[in-house]
Amino acid sequence: MKILLVEDDELIASGLQLALGRLRHRVEWSADGQQAQRLLDTEDFDLVILDLGLPGKDGFDILGHLRMAGSAVSVLILSARDGIKDRVKGLDLGADDYLTKPFDLDELLARVRVLERRRMSSANHVLENGRLALDLNAMTVTWDNQPVELPRREWMLLRLFVENPQRVYTRSQIEDALYGWSEGTESNAIDVHVHHLRKKITPDLIKTIRGIGYRLGEVA
């Protein structure tokens, strides 16, 4: 697996890199929350091992951004925050597992194996809604069984809507999902993305909810 290790304790990080590397996992390490967010926005990972108390950006914010953007990457929170409220918050935000520090290395590796098996056994990599289909592995889109070419931002936006077809997203929520909190964007960027998706697929693809935002339209 390709793993992103987000941990600001160099001693812990170096030990985990060594242990995971021995199991033939490819591990990238980030000690900074903002840097980790940039990596997640530009690269694909199979697993994120995520600390919470990070410089630059809190781990909860990183996790929230991931799930808002529609990412299904497995996330194992590894944190010294051992309170029930923190565990519940992490799982509610979309973490797949939560392990507190100090931890036993064998237990962490066992949990990594569980997440790897879960990822490998997941058979459904296609999101479908009417005539629209998104292949999450290949990052491809088809409409009426015909391929549609989309750049990364438009793909992310379409996935966000298809995964949550009844949800209305505000402009700020969409900007957070597509660009993150630290990345600036043009004021009309979301309108442009929506316009392109409607033009490439169908004018009814995305419905405007006046004064609020957008949601997926009728694509049956």
Side-chain angles (χ1 to χ4, degrees):
M1 287 195 299
K2 184 178 179 182
I3 299 174
L4 177 61
L5 173 61
V6 189
E7 170 60 64
D8 64 341
D9 186 312
E10 187 173 354
L11 185 61
I12 292 176
S14 61
L16 287 178
Q17 280 184 297
L18 181 62
L20 292 166
R22 285 175 176 166
L23 297 176
R24 305 200 175 189
H25 296 299
R26 291 178 296 148
V27 183
E28 289 193 39
W29 171 43
S30 175
D32 177 85
Q34 289 185 344
Q35 180 195 46
Q37 185 67 75
R38 288 192 293 270
L39 287 170
L40 289 166
D41 285 341
T42 57
E43 297 185 33
D44 291 325
F45 294 92
D46 300 307
L47 171 66
V48 182
I49 299 177
L50 180 64
D51 191 10
L52 296 179
L54 297 164
K57 190 170 189 176
D58 185 78
F60 281 143
D61 290 336
I62 294 172
L63 176 58
H65 175 79
L66 269 176
R67 296 314 187 215
M68 180 71 73
S71 174
V73 65
S74 298
V75 176
L76 167 60
I77 292 177
L78 181 63
S79 174
R81 301 180 192 176
D82 58 358
I84 294 297
K85 288 185 178 180
D86 287 314
R87 296 189 194 189
V88 170
K89 181 177 180 179
L91 295 172
D92 281 346
L93 280 173
D96 297 272
D97 201 353
Y98 195 117
L99 184 62
T100 58
K101 301 174 183 175
F103 61 94
D104 182 88
L105 179 60
D106 287 338
E107 181 182 2
L108 182 140
L109 295 178
R111 294 187 184 214
V112 168
R113 289 193 294 273
V114 168
L115 294 175
E116 183 178 21
R117 287 196 298 271
R118 186 183 301 171
R119 183 183 67 88
M120 295 298 291
S121 64
S122 177
N124 184 17
H125 299 296
V126 178
L127 294 175
E128 293 183 303
N129 193 312
R131 291 176 286 168
L132 185 66
L134 282 68
D135 188 314
L136 303 183
N137 284 347
M139 293 187 67
T140 57
V141 179
T142 59
W143 173 254
D144 271 343
N145 295 317
Q146 297 300 313
V148 180
E149 295 293 330
L150 296 180
R152 185 170 68 92
R153 301 289 188 193
E154 291 173 22
W155 156 264
M156 291 170 62
L157 179 57
L158 183 58
R159 176 174 177 172
L160 183 69
F161 285 130
V162 174
E163 285 193 318
N164 305 276
Q166 302 303 318
R167 178 171 176 176
V168 177
Y169 287 95
T170 66
R171 183 181 300 273
S172 62
Q173 287 173 329
I174 295 173
E175 289 176 352
D176 287 344
L178 268 60
Y179 295 95
W181 288 274
S182 61
E183 185 177 349
T185 179
E186 298 293 330
S187 60
N188 68 336
I190 303 305
D191 298 321
V192 171
H193 292 321
V194 169
H195 171 75
H196 286 168
L197 286 172
R198 287 169 172 164
K199 184 176 180 180
K200 293 175 181 179
I201 300 176
T202 174
D204 298 324
L205 177 68
I206 298 171
K207 183 176 181 179
T208 300
I209 309 300
R210 294 192 179 278
I212 303 177
Y214 300 98
R215 71 167 175 82
L216 190 68
E218 299 298 327
V219 293

